[in-house]
Amino acid sequence: LLDIGRMMVYLELALLDEPIAGFAPNLVQMMLEKITEITARMGNAVLLATQMIDTVRLSARGYLLSTGRIKFEDTANALLANKEVKNLYLSGQVVGGK
C-alpha cells in the first residue's frame, strides 16, 4: 500500500492489476478504501483490473471483459443494476455497497 501511495505522487494514471488478489476479505475492503483515499487526495486516476465485480461500485465507470473483449461498459451504478450482468456475473444477486 505504501508503494502505491509513493507511486501515485509521480503518475497521473496508475494501472493496478489484481492488487487485492489473495487478500483476506477484511484486507480487501481496507486496501480498496486506501486506494480510493490516495487517488482522491492526489487527484490521480486508477485503472483497476480485478475479478471482483463488487469493486465496480468504487468506480465512475466499469468494463466487464469476456474472453478478452469488452462485453459490458457503463457507469458503475448502471452495471450493477443491469439484469444481464447480475445473472452472468453475480448469479442474480444484488451487490452490497455503501
Side-chain angles (χ1 to χ4, degrees):
L1 187 58
L2 184 57
D3 288 340
I4 292 172
R6 287 181 183 165
M7 174 182 65
M8 294 299 286
V9 171
Y10 303 104
L11 300 174
E12 292 180 28
L13 172 65
L15 305 174
L16 303 177
D17 186 12
E18 298 285 350
I20 52 178
F23 282 28
N26 61 329
L27 294 177
V28 167
Q29 187 59 39
M30 182 193 76
M31 181 73 155
L32 292 172
E33 287 172 4
K34 291 299 179 186
I35 291 170
T36 302
E37 179 184 315
I38 290 167
T39 57
R41 189 175 11 173
M42 300 290 192
N44 305 56
V46 172
L47 177 62
L48 175 68
T50 181
Q51 294 185 33
M52 295 180 59
I53 184 67
D54 60 336
T55 58
V56 77
R57 68 185 162 80
L58 301 172
S59 307
R61 293 197 64 77
Y63 301 83
L64 300 178
L65 304 177
S66 178
T67 62
R69 298 191 188 276
I70 296 173
K71 184 162 181 136
F72 297 96
E73 166 187 0
D74 213 329
T75 64
N77 290 336
L79 282 173
L80 293 174
N82 182 308
K83 288 183 182 184
E84 190 175 0
V85 169
K86 285 182 187 178
N87 288 332
L88 290 173
Y89 296 95
L90 304 170
S91 301
Q93 299 175 15
V94 175
V95 176
K98 294 179 181 177

